[in-house]
Amino acid sequence: MASELITHTTDASFQSDVIQSDKPVLVDFWAEWCGPCRMIAPILDDVAQAYQGRLQITKVNVDENRDVPGQFGIRGIPTLMLCLLYTSDAADDSLRV
């Protein structure tokens, strides 16, 4: 079962959902037919729960959204990409394990 903490983004909303996020975003490039993608889903659910409020996890379906994966050179799935493009006024150690 997918966590309600994990969001889905599209080519159209990637800029606002990921690039302009106020916290780090772990992007999961996936497809419904991908077995390994389904295998890592429970792990992503656990990570979303463990880092709730400190890390956003979002999924990009590569079959429905081809522009963003192409821009980042995604050639195989699953691919996970950690985006640390957010801005912060202070050093943030909140992601330390």
Side-chain angles (χ1 to χ4, degrees), residues 34-65:
C34 172
C37 298
R38 289 192 305 269
M39 290 174 63
I40 67 168
I43 297 166
L44 293 177
D45 289 340
D46 291 344
V47 171
Q49 185 68 39
Y51 289 94
Q52 183 176 357
R54 298 179 288 161
L55 173 73
Q56 177 61 51
I57 298 178
T58 191
K59 298 171 90 59
V60 176
N61 184 322
V62 298
D63 288 336
E64 297 172 359
N65 303 281

Side-chain angles (χ1 to χ4, degrees), residues 13-95:
S13 64
F14 189 85
Q15 181 74 24
S16 61
D17 292 344
V18 176
I19 304 300
Q20 297 173 353
S21 176
D22 61 349
K23 58 187 152 195
V25 181
L26 181 64
V27 181
D28 174 22
F29 293 93
W30 73 288
E32 289 184 30
W33 51 263
C34 172
C37 298
R38 289 192 305 269
M39 290 174 63
I40 67 168
I43 297 166
L44 293 177
D45 289 340
D46 291 344
V47 171
Q49 185 68 39
Y51 289 94
Q52 183 176 357
R54 298 179 288 161
L55 173 73
Q56 177 61 51
I57 298 178
T58 191
K59 298 171 90 59
V60 176
N61 184 322
V62 298
D63 288 336
E64 297 172 359
N65 303 281
R66 296 186 181 264
D67 293 341
V68 169
Q71 290 171 353
F72 287 99
I74 305 302
R75 296 185 179 265
I77 55 171
T79 295
L80 299 175
M81 179 177 71
L82 182 61
C83 295
L84 300 172
L85 302 174
Y86 69 100
T87 59
S88 176
D89 292 337
D92 185 2
D93 291 333
S94 65
L95 287 177

